[in-house]
Amino acid sequence: MEKGDILKIKNITKHFGGVKAVDGVSFSVRERQIKALVGPNGAGKTTLFNIVTGLYKADSGEIIFKGKNLFLYKPYKLINLGISRTFQNIQLIDALTVKENIALGLHSKIKSNPVSIILGLNKSHERDVLEKVERVCRFLKIEDYLYKYPNQIPFGIKRLVEIARALVSEPELLLLDEPAAGLNEDETELLLKSIFRIWERGISILLIEHDMEFVTNCSHSIVVMDSGKKIAEGLPSEVMNDYRVIKAYMGE
Amino acid sequence: MKENTATYVLIALFLLSGFIIKNPFILNMVSIAALAVIVVMGLNLLLGYAGQVSLGHAGFVGLGAYISSILAIRFNINPWLSILIASLLTSVFALIIGYPTLKLKGHYLAMATLAIGEIIYIFANNLVDLTGGHQGLTGMPMLSVGSFVFDSEKKFFFFVWIVVFFFAFISFRIVNSHFGRALKAIHEKELAALSFGVNVHLYKVVIFSLSAFYAAFAGGLYAFYLGFISPSSFDLLKSIDYIVMAFVGGIDSIFGSLIITVVLASLPNIMTFLQDYWPIVNGLLLVIAAMFMPKGLGGFIKWKRAIF
């Protein structure tokens, strides 16, 4: 493995029936890099994301995270390796407060057993959890919403809560699935700043995005997919001028 | 007031009512209702928190009742120990059967659990040598602690509400822990739960097994209290009764379920003139609840409190 790559995606292929959703895609995310995966609708970006996070099984190929083959791990084990994600269609739990939603991100870190739950011996865990949740909320400036429920907060804040939930376990690789979708200009601006601040803490980021302008503003490197294939990869400035990319986005 | 405090207060009120109520008929009725409360609390965990349905819970109540009775009658095992063993065996049974079953979702899970309940019912009916078949099983010794025998409605009434308190306590501890958080996540957004380190399938199986424990324990107490059990107490209609109680009470509200279960379990005994028509009344109640308080009494209370 080339030194400095935190995530290596090798030749991934995935069929749904007769449709090749992802077709032999390879690329890697370097440590402390913000990498963007872009492409028109149906290009296979989210499918690839779901393969990385173990929700789908690839037909062939390999994904290596820090030297470990991810396909050998169950999806719920990935967070322990240091991979965390957000979802395109917000997956906050309506029955839980913002605080509890974010605390869910720490689920795998809490070591306890049924007996200690029933005897109430996990109070100290809960204090730790609360402290970490509050810290990440201050970091993302959403501490005012801690005790609100998801249906009581604006859409832009929901996205940040999703990011907070992914961030609270202190992952090494953060996967963001269309973080800017549905946000207005101010919210996008705020998100952009937040993403940079996360990156400053040494976290590598792989994000899917639709919005080319957003991507060119925030990423170090871009991979472009179309119809399941990788059609370009490189610096934002290079990729934007690539003939195939323009064709995929604008048509002939 | 928090839901757990409110529930404990309610249970305390029921306990205290034992000093006022003299009528053994009512004491008996409310004691039997309290046993249903335990079953529904277990169902709450499964249905309201983990979001998994079971149409076979009466089967688990039956397993608890039959296994504990047979242990006590045939093998002369202490009744308390019998109930405990029966409950543990039932939850192990639920663990084994839940492992493949809970991979199913929605209607398929409902059908599979319905089948589990029916199979238990058929066994209870046909293993005549062990269970006495449809004529039922009798001859269980009375529950006792030392020389203190639970031989009156009143004594059992106090005892069963203390048991209800313990089960409510366990429920709240679970619901308010990180385990409860994970269950709610499974209920709403299974993929999110999975992505944040929740072993979704294992959790479903564990909570299924725990709710079977609740059911079996109530079944064991039922058997020793009444001294007589027959398969008809554990059939599909009973399973549906429990589901109705949980839904009308509010599937994720332990407080609401407690009230509604006591009411719904007692009503058929008060309105005896309805006897054969009770399933119709039950169905009507479910429809009315679904129309006017879709989240049950518990949801209704939360909604009212949010307004005022």
Side-chain angles (χ1 to χ4, degrees):
Chain A
M1 188 177 102
E2 193 189 322
K3 211 168 175 249
D5 284 342
I6 189 164
L7 183 78
K8 232 176 154 60
I9 294 171
K10 290 183 182 169
N11 219 357
I12 292 292
T13 299
K14 172 78 184 172
H15 295 256
F16 289 115
V19 182
K20 260 191 178 172
V22 180
D23 187 1
V25 172
S26 307
F27 66 87
S28 28
V29 181
R30 299 175 69 87
E31 270 174 42
R32 303 211 54 186
Q33 186 182 41
I34 302 179
K35 186 124 193 169
L37 183 56
V38 301
N41 274 330
K45 306 176 304 266
T46 297
T47 306
L48 186 62
F49 232 54
N50 285 338
I51 291 170
V52 175
T53 51
L55 301 183
Y56 291 160
K57 275 198 165 51
D59 298 333
S60 64
E62 250 189 339
I63 295 178
I64 309 291
F65 175 73
K66 296 202 311 177
K68 296 181 188 105
N69 182 353
L70 284 191
F71 292 166
L72 301 178
Y73 292 84
K74 292 250 171 19
Y76 58 87
K77 293 277 187 199
L78 295 184
I79 191 153
N80 288 334
L81 298 179
I83 302 178
S84 199
R85 74 170 293 179
T86 66
F87 295 86
Q88 179 183 352
N89 42 346
I90 290 186
Q91 298 277 318
L92 295 177
I93 318 300
D94 295 327
L96 298 177
T97 60
V98 166
K99 184 202 121 191
E100 292 168 321
N101 263 293
I102 299 171
L104 183 67
L106 285 168
H107 185 81
S108 61
K109 309 277 181 206
I110 303 172
K111 297 274 169 283
S112 87
N113 55 59
V115 178
S116 68
I117 290 175
I118 290 166
L119 295 180
L121 299 178
N122 49 354
K123 291 255 157 60
S124 63
H125 289 301
E126 286 298 312
R127 253 195 305 279
D128 284 356
V129 167
L130 183 62
E131 208 169 285
K132 282 186 177 156
V133 169
E134 280 175 347
R135 202 183 308 147
V136 79
C137 283
R138 276 196 299 275
F139 178 70
L140 291 172
K141 303 193 170 66
I142 50 173
E143 64 267 38
D144 291 347
Y145 301 95
L146 264 180
Y147 294 96
K148 293 253 194 294
Y149 285 90
N151 59 12
Q152 299 169 322
I153 61 177
F155 189 78
I157 303 295
K158 284 188 192 175
R159 286 251 182 249
L160 290 176
V161 174
E162 273 241 332
I163 294 174
R165 182 171 67 178
L167 215 52
V168 72
S169 57
E170 295 169 10
E172 289 176 62
L173 175 66
L174 181 63
L175 305 169
L176 303 174
D177 193 350
E178 302 221 7
L183 298 189
N184 63 31
E185 257 176 54
D186 292 345
E187 290 168 336
T188 309
E189 185 70 31
L190 184 66
L191 176 72
L192 210 58
K193 279 185 191 146
S194 305
I195 289 178
F196 276 121
R197 292 180 56 229
I198 292 166
W199 170 75
E200 277 168 5
R201 301 185 98 189
I203 295 170
S204 316
I205 297 172
L206 173 62
L207 63 92
I208 291 184
E209 197 42 76
H210 230 71
D211 180 350
M212 271 300 203
E213 200 192 321
F214 181 82
V215 164
T216 44
N217 281 335
C218 84
S219 51
H220 302 121
S221 168
I222 295 180
V223 171
V224 188
M225 280 179 76
D226 185 32
S227 314
K229 288 196 174 70
K230 179 173 105 174
I231 57 170
E233 180 173 8
L235 298 171
S237 54
E238 294 167 2
V239 169
M240 291 305 285
N241 296 320
D242 190 304
Y243 166 68
R244 286 161 306 177
V245 177
I246 296 166
K247 198 177 92 181
Y249 262 84
M250 309 292 182
E252 299 277 342
Chain B
M1 210 189 298
K2 276 188 176 170
E3 194 194 349
N4 51 358
T5 325
T7 308
Y8 297 148
V9 168
L10 191 63
I11 293 172
L13 287 177
F14 272 113
L15 254 175
L16 292 176
S17 72
F19 291 109
I20 304 162
I21 303 169
K22 294 278 184 286
N23 185 339
F25 170 78
I26 294 178
L27 287 172
N28 175 58
M29 183 180 79
V30 181
S31 295
I32 300 285
L35 292 173
V37 167
I38 297 172
V39 182
V40 173
M41 271 183 194
L43 209 49
N44 266 332
L45 289 177
L46 183 69
L47 202 65
Y49 288 90
Q52 308 300 307
V53 72
S54 166
L55 284 180
H57 251 54
F60 294 135
V61 181
L63 268 186
Y66 274 103
I67 296 174
S68 59
S69 304
I70 292 166
L71 285 175
I73 297 168
R74 291 284 171 105
F75 302 95
N76 255 328
I77 294 174
N78 174 292
W80 300 111
L81 195 58
S82 306
I83 294 174
L84 195 64
I85 295 173
S87 308
L88 288 173
L89 281 178
T90 305
S91 54
V92 170
F93 171 76
L95 206 64
I96 294 167
I97 209 129
Y99 188 83
T101 312
L102 287 158
K103 292 196 168 160
L104 304 171
K105 288 185 201 307
H107 306 319
Y108 301 102
L109 177 63
M111 294 311 285
T113 50
L114 186 144
I116 294 169
E118 281 303 280
I119 289 166
I120 295 168
Y121 175 74
I122 291 168
F123 268 97
N125 242 325
N126 292 302
L127 281 177
V128 180
D129 289 343
L130 267 179
T131 64
H134 68 271
Q135 291 188 328
L137 188 62
T138 186
M140 296 73 133
M142 275 190 180
L143 290 169
S144 61
V145 180
S147 59
F148 184 85
V149 185
F150 289 96
D151 54 358
S152 75
E153 282 81 5
K154 195 164 207 152
K155 287 175 186 167
F156 188 76
F157 180 90
F158 286 117
F159 169 68
V160 75
W161 280 102
I162 291 169
V163 176
V164 169
F165 170 79
F166 272 107
F167 278 105
F169 183 78
I170 292 171
S171 281
F172 280 117
R173 273 285 158 84
I174 290 171
V175 166
N176 293 327
S177 72
H178 67 290
F179 187 76
R181 242 173 2 230
L183 291 179
K184 286 178 193 163
I186 292 172
H187 188 174
E188 280 186 43
K189 309 274 158 69
E190 210 171 299
L191 288 185
L194 203 60
S195 300
F196 292 104
V198 179
N199 186 343
V200 170
H201 184 239
L202 178 74
Y203 276 41
K204 286 182 187 172
V205 176
V206 166
I207 209 70
F208 186 65
S209 166
L210 182 68
S211 88
F213 184 93
Y214 277 57
F217 200 92
L221 289 180
Y222 177 85
F224 284 94
Y225 173 56
L226 286 188
F228 170 77
I229 49 174
S230 72
S232 64
S233 306
F234 314 111
D235 62 1
L236 175 62
L237 275 180
K238 284 283 173 192
S239 288
I240 293 173
D241 278 351
Y242 294 131
I243 296 270
V244 172
M245 290 166 186
F247 262 102
V248 179
I251 49 170
D252 59 353
S253 166
I254 294 166
F255 179 81
S257 301
L258 201 165
I259 296 180
I260 291 296
T261 302
V262 172
V263 172
L264 288 189
S266 306
L267 270 183
N269 296 315
I270 296 169
M271 303 204 218
T272 41
F273 55 93
L274 278 173
Q275 227 168 22
D276 292 340
Y277 302 100
W278 181 249
I280 299 176
V281 179
N282 225 356
L284 264 173
L285 275 171
L286 186 60
V287 172
I288 292 169
M291 286 170 71
F292 297 106
M293 24 181 226
K295 289 191 170 170
L297 181 67
F300 186 71
I301 295 170
K302 273 177 205 158
W303 178 67
K304 279 278 181 205
R305 282 179 53 169
I307 289 177
F308 298 115

